[in-house]
Amino acid sequence: MSKFSVSEKKAASLEESLLDNLQVATQDKDQLTEEEIAALGADLFEVVPYDEEEAERTGYSNYSYWGSTVRMFFKNKTAMLMLLILALMLVFTYIQPLLPNQKDPTWCHWDENGMPLADIQPNSEFWFGTNNIGQDIWSNMWEGTRNSLFIGFAVAMINAVVGIIVGMIWGYIRQLDFILTEVYNVLSNIPSTIILILATYVMSPSITSLIIAMCVTGWMGMARFIRNLTLMIRDRDFNLASRCLGTPTHRVIMKNLLPQMVSVIMLRLALAIPGAIGSEAFMAYIGLGLPATIPSLGSLANAGRQYMMLPSMRYQLIIPCIFLSVITICFYIVGNAFADASDPRNHV
Amino acid sequence: MLKYALGRIGRSMITIVIIIAVVFSLLRLMPIEGYFSNFDKLSPEEIKNGLEKLGLNDPLPVQLMNFFKQLLSGDFGISYKFRRNVPITEFIGPMAMTSAKFGLLSMGVSLPLGMALGAMMSRKKNGIWDRLGNLYIVIIQAVPNAVYFLMIQTYGTQLLGCSMLYREGQPLTMVMPILSMALPSISSYAMWLRRYMVDETNKDYIKLARAKGVPNTTIWFRHVFRNSVVPMVNQIPGSLLLTISGSIYVESLYGINGLGGLLVSAIKLQDNSLVQLLVLIFSILGIIGLLLGDLLMAAVDPRISFTKKGGSR
């Protein structure tokens, strides 16, 4: 045996283990005593009828894609922690108004002389201080977080579902390519500001009108993204093989195309939620956001921006920014971890 | 491919007409109060005359036909609100050039830097570059733009010892606006390139190439990088052309007289002819960008084809 041959070493170790097994097997006796025979259960001797399904099943491993993805994801401790933080934040936004001694977020507080309690630094009465018209920032923050998370989830989900379906069809079905390209060109070039102004004009500004205005054109980005990914793998050989075998289009899309994109879709989805929160902040910045009675993280951060230069007032900017940052970081890390976990090549 | 491109350009003409018609009609749904600064004090006659002067009393199809005739004769209209009664073409050109200057410079910085960062990050997963890059991306994503732009402006200009606002002819004042615009795009280029490259490295043919003893650099540049850059290449011409639309935050912070906030403020002022012209310009550029992006994608990856071949979908 040569010193460096890997294959010979391997063969030798296999041989050894086989010999061990053989020895163990020969030590087992075939002959049983009377008592041992009596101890065996009667069910061992029943004839099992032939089951076709059962016979087929043994041919496959019990690998499940989503099961493995979730298992890989659970292994990532940081991502789990972030998911937990997000869940706790979400739950707390609903619990907070029910707790005792909480203040109404829209109520402007006054002292006994009738002066507004404006710009109070954080203290035991107002945990996060008050803003420039004397509203309690602590209760505003939680109300705003709830609204922002709701807007983020709603917009991201609607955009993702519509975008993925349209994007797949757009990319895969050649006959529809030119129609959808032109629809994209029309819709993506209508300024969202016009839609937003018209939506608030027709429906009166509210969370619903904001979500509708953000979704009317928002799904286009996702659709184009999916379309580009589909174009790349549309004409690969495995799709050609599927078509030759007569696989229906919807099955090709669901089984051949979609699983290849899960990782990028997940990352994109995880970023879409903070993205929607951010674009709500942008709308607050250009003065088209939610009305002043409905707080949101965007409008709170925007209101705090004017105090950037005053160190004593800076808490009004820093608190909303911390909330925004925590939410974004959590989603980013969870999304990246899920994208890594969803790659079947990383599965064991 | 040429036939495909020409066909798409032909169809795009129709699309642009549709876009203009849609935006034109949407603008006519705007409340009429918005056309006057002192609506409450005006008598019904004055309102009627004012609308007549803006040509808003005709039925919608007539207005639309008039507008197209006006466009074809090369008259791009007059701004009524943004600059009182000034032909739009007089002020829009220089503004677009300013925005394009900043946009192109920041893209020139962010594209190579972002690509380099993304490639470095994917080279060794969980290595030092990956960790640093991820930290940078998370920070950029997490802190709202408006906040760190403001911080860059205050502390960055202090560091450089120049004025906080952009002054023409002082190149030093351009550094901070360009940096602010480049930072987020560096992070997004790096993030996506890393994602695509990591996915590509895990593929079986790369393992085969490794096993065959193909040098690492060849694997990296010829296989991994080239395959991962395909989905990104589609966006580049579009973002290159749309640099003229500017950045609304940066331009308002540094007092840059560009196109950044012009569309939003024109819509809010209900300066219809200005809105229509801006939408026309942006949509033409956007459509050309999309077409160039598709062609570039097909050029980088010869497997992608827009023309029907045997067996293709």
Side-chain angles (χ1 to χ4, degrees):
Chain A
M1 190 169 116
S2 70
K3 201 172 159 192
F4 299 108
S5 166
V6 176
S7 60
E8 279 177 30
K9 244 182 210 168
K10 187 97 185 161
S13 73
L14 279 176
E15 206 174 314
E16 259 169 45
S17 69
L18 270 178
L19 285 174
D20 285 349
N21 274 341
L22 200 65
Q23 258 177 351
V24 172
T26 44
Q27 274 166 10
D28 272 353
K29 47 187 179 173
D30 282 343
Q31 307 288 318
L32 296 176
T33 60
E34 289 290 319
E35 296 93 70
E36 277 170 330
I37 290 172
L40 291 172
D43 56 325
L44 284 176
F45 299 96
E46 270 167 31
V47 179
V48 180
Y50 175 67
D51 184 349
E52 203 175 346
E53 236 178 78
E54 204 64 24
E56 286 294 321
R57 190 182 295 163
T58 52
Y60 298 97
S61 76
N62 58 352
Y63 171 81
S64 113
Y65 174 73
W66 289 107
S68 306
T69 304
V70 171
R71 214 169 316 123
M72 284 296 287
F73 178 73
F74 279 131
K75 271 189 196 158
N76 192 331
K77 291 285 173 291
T78 336
M80 285 307 294
L81 181 70
M82 295 292 170
L83 197 63
L84 191 71
I85 293 175
L86 271 180
L88 287 180
M89 259 180 118
L90 187 63
V91 170
F92 192 72
T93 56
Y94 285 94
I95 295 177
Q96 184 266 333
L98 306 175
L99 295 176
N101 292 330
Q102 296 298 324
K103 296 175 179 65
D104 183 0
T106 49
W107 181 257
C108 301
H109 294 274
W110 303 79
D111 63 9
E112 52 273 21
N113 303 325
M115 292 298 286
L117 288 167
D119 294 333
I120 305 273
Q121 298 250 351
N123 57 26
S124 57
E125 171 79 15
F126 301 104
W127 290 350
F128 284 173
T130 61
N131 67 3
N132 57 349
I133 52 170
Q135 292 172 336
D136 179 36
I137 292 185
W138 163 261
S139 51
N140 259 302
M141 276 320 301
W142 290 109
E143 174 97 14
T145 309
R146 170 154 34 109
N147 290 335
S148 282
L149 280 176
F150 178 70
I151 293 171
F153 273 120
V155 171
M157 286 304 146
I158 296 173
N159 285 349
V161 171
V162 179
I164 290 171
I165 294 173
V166 176
M168 288 277 175
I169 296 173
W170 183 8
Y172 190 69
I173 303 176
R174 184 181 295 271
Q175 292 88 330
L176 285 176
D177 180 51
F178 84 94
I179 300 174
L180 282 169
T181 308
E182 302 315 321
V183 170
Y184 172 82
N185 283 340
V186 171
L187 283 184
S188 65
N189 282 301
I190 297 173
S192 52
T193 323
I194 292 186
I195 294 169
L196 200 67
I197 290 181
L198 286 176
T200 49
Y201 177 52
V202 175
M203 294 183 287
S204 82
S206 66
I207 293 183
T208 326
S209 75
L210 193 73
I211 290 176
I212 292 176
M214 283 166 84
C215 289
V216 169
T217 52
W219 58 273
M220 303 296 317
M222 188 71 171
R224 185 181 171 197
F225 177 77
I226 296 291
R227 178 244 183 189
N228 289 343
L229 290 174
T230 313
L231 273 186
M232 290 186 347
I233 52 176
R234 177 178 70 184
D235 292 335
R236 298 269 168 96
D237 292 340
F238 56 85
N239 283 331
L240 181 62
S242 285
R243 278 195 295 277
C244 290
L245 293 169
T247 316
T249 304
H250 67 89
R251 202 179 150 79
V252 172
I253 289 178
M254 290 305 291
K255 296 278 173 183
N256 290 13
L257 304 181
L258 200 57
Q260 306 235 6
M261 299 174 195
V262 171
S263 74
V264 254
I265 289 176
M266 278 300 155
L267 181 58
R268 177 113 186 171
L269 202 60
L271 292 176
I273 297 168
I277 296 173
S279 61
E280 189 271 319
F282 176 75
M283 282 165 187
Y285 176 78
I286 60 174
L288 290 170
L290 291 164
T293 48
I294 309 176
S296 72
L297 288 182
S299 57
L300 289 167
N302 207 36
R305 246 165 47 92
Q306 50 186 314
Y307 295 111
M308 177 83 185
M309 296 304 144
L310 297 167
S312 61
M313 294 286 136
R314 224 174 254 168
Y315 67 92
Q316 293 192 25
L317 174 66
I318 291 171
I319 293 169
C321 283
I322 289 175
F323 272 66
L324 268 175
S325 311
V326 168
I327 291 175
T328 316
I329 291 173
C330 288
F331 273 114
Y332 178 79
I333 290 174
V334 169
N336 244 335
F338 204 87
D340 283 341
S342 66
D343 186 346
R345 285 170 291 257
N346 290 338
H347 293 173
V348 266
Chain B
M1 201 46 99
L2 186 70
K3 203 177 138 203
Y4 172 81
L6 287 178
R8 250 179 82 168
I9 290 173
R11 282 199 302 273
S12 302
M13 299 283 187
I14 306 167
T15 316
I16 287 171
V17 171
I18 296 173
I19 293 170
I20 293 179
V22 170
V23 171
F24 196 90
S25 320
L26 284 178
L27 283 174
R28 294 316 182 266
L29 293 174
M30 291 282 203
I32 52 167
E33 289 91 332
Y35 295 113
F36 306 98
S37 41
N38 48 350
F39 183 77
D40 296 336
K41 290 178 197 152
L42 294 176
S43 65
E45 262 94 276
E46 282 172 310
I47 291 171
K48 199 165 164 258
N49 287 340
L51 291 178
E52 188 72 51
K53 212 179 108 200
L54 293 168
L56 290 168
N57 278 349
D58 299 328
L60 188 63
V62 178
Q63 285 186 39
L64 201 56
M65 281 316 292
N66 286 342
F67 179 66
F68 279 124
K69 272 184 208 151
Q70 197 192 331
L71 271 187
L72 285 177
S73 63
D75 174 12
F76 293 109
I78 289 166
S79 166
Y80 287 99
K81 278 262 189 84
F82 184 73
R83 299 270 164 87
R84 254 178 205 284
N85 300 331
V86 178
I88 294 167
T89 35
E90 264 181 32
F91 61 86
I92 213 171
M95 286 171 93
M97 292 319 282
T98 319
S99 283
K101 183 171 72 181
F102 279 97
L104 289 177
L105 281 172
S106 85
M107 205 169 156
V109 174
S110 62
L111 192 61
L113 277 183
M115 291 278 187
L117 181 62
M120 299 276 255
M121 282 168 70
S122 66
R123 202 132 189 191
K124 193 146 183 269
K125 225 175 136 193
N126 289 330
I128 177 82
W129 280 103
D130 199 18
R131 281 169 195 280
L132 283 178
N134 259 326
L135 184 71
Y136 163 69
I137 291 171
V138 166
I139 290 174
I140 291 288
Q141 295 269 351
V143 185
N145 303 20
V147 174
Y148 67 81
F149 283 177
L150 209 58
M151 273 163 64
I152 290 174
Q153 189 186 23
T154 6
Y155 300 113
T157 48
Q158 245 172 41
L159 202 71
L160 288 180
C162 63
S163 124
M164 271 176 76
L165 299 178
Y166 165 65
R167 300 259 164 79
E168 213 144 335
Q170 286 184 19
L172 206 58
T173 55
M174 289 176 72
V175 175
M176 284 301 142
I178 289 172
L179 183 71
S180 317
M181 286 161 85
L183 278 178
S185 33
I186 291 177
S187 88
S188 82
Y189 285 130
M191 178 179 73
W192 285 108
L193 189 65
R194 176 189 172 274
R195 178 82 262 149
Y196 292 125
M197 284 182 84
V198 165
D199 282 356
E200 198 68 30
T201 335
N202 281 335
K203 288 196 175 156
D204 291 339
Y205 78 97
I206 298 291
K207 281 184 193 138
L208 176 69
R210 284 246 161 79
K212 272 168 49 181
V214 179
N216 230 346
T217 3
T218 319
I219 293 182
W220 218 259
F221 285 101
R222 196 167 295 167
H223 299 305
V224 179
F225 184 75
R226 191 164 168 195
N227 271 314
S228 332
V229 95
V230 174
M232 301 187 68
V233 121
N234 188 289
Q235 313 277 344
I236 291 172
S239 32
L240 203 62
L241 285 176
L242 283 175
T243 48
I244 75 152
S245 63
S247 156
I248 183 164
Y249 281 127
V250 174
E251 290 186 2
S252 67
L253 274 180
Y254 290 90
I256 297 164
N257 191 16
L259 285 189
L262 187 58
L263 184 59
V264 172
S265 50
I267 293 171
K268 283 168 88 178
L269 287 169
Q270 298 197 13
D271 196 336
N272 285 354
S273 41
L274 186 53
V275 176
Q276 283 150 16
L277 188 66
L278 284 174
V279 169
L280 180 67
I281 295 171
F282 291 154
S283 49
I284 290 175
L285 291 178
I287 287 170
I288 294 175
L290 188 64
L291 174 64
L292 287 181
D294 281 350
L295 295 182
L296 198 61
M297 199 161 89
V300 174
D301 187 348
R303 283 170 302 186
I304 296 169
S305 150
F306 292 95
T307 43
K308 203 170 171 72
K309 285 184 305 204
S312 73
R313 180 65 218 182

